[in-house]
Amino acid sequence: MRYELMLPHQIRKAIAENWPVALPLGVLEYHGEHMAVGMDTLAVIKTLELFEKERDIVILPPFYYGAASYAVAAPEGSGSVQVGGNALASFGEELFYSLLRIGFRNIHAIIHHQTENFAAGMPTDLAFKTAGRQAIFRFLEKERGEGWWGSEVMASYYAEHAEGANFFNWVQVHPLMSAAMKYPFDHAGIGETSLMLALCPEAVDAAHFTDNKSWYTATAKDASAELGQKGVAMIMDHLRATLLA
């Protein structure tokens, strides 16, 4: 369900049944002359909408204002919006802390931007990973007081942790596409353009393929909705494994 459309009794049901709560996380970034600047975030939104048809899930309003950087193109006339990681971390902490206060314990931010280096991290996902940890520590100290981890009630912490009971999993950040996927990983090339043709065709204008002059868009003209659907199927399998673990 879309969070902004939920009534309080529906929110309480989602909490009681531990529904996944998903934040579509992304950027506004130049993706060649042929594709919308919101591509990264749109890919997350559209696949979560498909996931919602299969499972109960809370979809938060999307956050588009990540750290796009100007590595691809200067912002003038291209549309890239850059918000630094330090500002993102502060925002993310407040958001996650508020969601924990509401009662959610199964919170996931899903990102499709610079995730080829996800294990090491890039500014946007690193900021929200840090924010999640900070929010959890802050929430636990509010609820249990300082010294909560050292108290006797935590004596079974390591045993429970080994069994999968880990409150640091209350907030997690995931890439939309795992590194194991056998799908073209690119920026505004055949892979991403095909995803948009499958998920959000209005975000692609084939008439502007010839306006591209950059190396990273050279394969965009070969994109197809059929290839995109293969990518969508892989993403859906990844979301099922990630959000239902």
Side-chain angles (χ1 to χ4, degrees), residues 68-227:
S69 87
Y70 301 137
V72 171
E76 290 79 9
S78 75
S80 292
V81 175
Q82 160 66 14
V83 178
N86 290 339
L88 296 175
S90 297
F91 166 81
E93 180 180 339
E94 296 305 318
L95 172 62
F96 292 143
Y97 181 72
S98 181
L99 294 171
L100 291 170
R101 286 287 307 270
I102 290 166
F104 295 120
R105 300 290 184 269
N106 192 9
I107 303 163
H108 305 265
I110 312 293
I111 184 170
H112 180 67
H113 175 66
Q114 298 179 332
T115 53
E116 66 271 26
N117 294 300
F118 193 79
M122 284 293 203
T124 304
D125 58 88
L126 279 174
F128 278 83
K129 288 174 188 175
T130 299
R133 287 291 186 264
Q134 291 289 95
I136 291 168
F137 272 111
R138 179 176 160 193
F139 177 78
L140 288 170
E141 287 182 7
K142 176 189 179 297
E143 293 294 303
R144 305 182 185 189
E146 294 180 352
W148 61 269
W149 191 87
S151 67
E152 283 301 312
V153 297
M154 294 299 297
S156 60
Y157 169 78
Y158 286 113
E160 293 175 0
H161 192 280
E163 295 172 0
N166 183 359
F167 32 68
F168 291 110
N169 287 336
W170 289 349
V171 180
Q172 301 180 62
V173 182
H174 314 278
L176 182 67
M177 301 174 68
S178 74
M181 285 184 189
K182 303 301 182 184
Y183 184 83
F185 202 101
D186 58 29
H187 178 81
I190 186 174
E192 289 196 335
T193 305
S194 293
L195 278 181
M196 281 295 94
L197 288 173
L199 290 167
C200 188
E202 63 269 32
V204 179
D205 189 344
H208 289 275
F209 282 145
T210 56
D211 296 335
N212 289 317
K213 307 301 179 185
S214 51
W215 65 268
Y216 52 86
T217 56
T219 60
K221 65 184 186 305
D222 302 317
S224 68
E226 291 74 20
L227 175 60

Side-chain angles (χ1 to χ4, degrees), residues 1 6-21 56-58 102-104:
M1 300 184 72
M6 294 178 75
L7 302 178
H9 74 90
Q10 295 170 318
I11 292 172
R12 290 190 287 270
K13 176 181 173 67
I15 293 168
E17 297 181 359
N18 200 34
W19 291 13
V21 177
D56 290 326
I57 184 174
V58 176
I102 290 166
F104 295 120

